[in-house]
Amino acid sequence: LWLPYIVIPLKTDRQSGFLIPTFDSNSADGNVLGIQYFHAINRNNDVLYTMQFYERRGIKFLGSYNYELSNHSHGFLNAGYIRDQSFAADEQFKDNPVGSKVNRYFINYDHQWQFPGGFSQKTKLNFMSDLWYPRDFWNEFPGLGDPALENRASLTRNTDATHASIDIDYYINQLKAEPLATNDDQVHRWPEL
């Protein structure tokens, strides 16, 4: 049995260890128990591993990696995966056999890097297995209620007299009723100089 404890004198360094378990209950998922482990890799890098046990969906694995290279260079990567047994039971998937499980996932990445010579690079990625992921797991993935999810990368260089940049945007249309709809009709912004 895991019990919380305190060490005196208090430590000021970050430490690895298990966090207090989480518990939630709602009509869609049933009871949800979460176990988290925080791994302090070093002063500027850490990972949070999470395992969630959904009564109606199954077991979900989540990871969150944060890093800081300098005051102006930092980022994070969040990802999750579940073999969802509740998703396939929806009316839209009547053809699926009873008890089918569907692989569902998300990846959310955001960083900003500063390089010598006035260069700056930014990336923002948001990908998911289906359009219902933000609805079903709104607290893990951004974009609930947004018409589209933005994926963007840019490289800029600033000097005292000039600004130069290259920028690209890829959007995922969320205004479709079907969760597995294609993204063929979405408008994107290809490299802009």
Side-chain angles (χ1 to χ4, degrees), residues 15 25 28 30 38 40 42 49 58 61 66 71 73 79 81 88 107 113 120 124 130 139 142 144 153 174 176 187:
Q15 282 184 249
S25 182
F38 178 77
N42 58 36
Y49 301 101
F61 302 96
N66 294 290
N71 288 340
S73 297
Y81 170 81
I107 296 171
W113 289 349
S120 174
K124 179 181 182 179
D130 58 87
N139 57 341
L144 179 63
Q174 294 197 109
K176 296 190 175 186
V187 176

Side-chain angles (χ1 to χ4, degrees), residues 21-114:
T22 61
F23 180 78
D24 189 18
S25 182
N26 60 61
S27 59
D29 302 329
N31 296 320
V32 183
L33 174 66
I35 298 172
Q36 298 179 315
Y37 181 80
F38 178 77
H39 179 57
I41 299 170
N42 58 36
R43 187 175 172 210
N44 301 323
N45 295 276
D46 60 66
V47 181
L48 179 64
Y49 301 101
T50 304
M51 185 182 300
Q52 291 180 327
F53 303 90
Y54 289 83
E55 181 181 1
R56 296 196 177 120
R57 294 187 185 276
I59 299 173
K60 177 186 259 187
F61 302 96
L62 298 157
S64 178
Y65 172 62
N66 294 290
Y67 61 90
E68 185 168 345
L69 305 174
S70 69
N71 288 340
H72 302 290
S73 297
H74 48 81
F76 65 85
L77 170 67
N78 295 325
Y81 170 81
I82 185 171
R83 193 154 164 76
D84 196 334
Q85 60 196 22
S86 176
F87 185 71
D90 192 272
E91 286 182 10
Q92 291 198 38
F93 308 108
K94 293 176 189 171
D95 298 336
N96 288 345
V98 176
S100 292
K101 295 182 180 182
V102 177
N103 294 324
R104 300 181 76 190
Y105 62 86
F106 81 93
I107 296 171
N108 175 238
Y109 177 64
D110 198 341
H111 84 228
Q112 175 178 335
W113 289 349
Q114 294 285 349

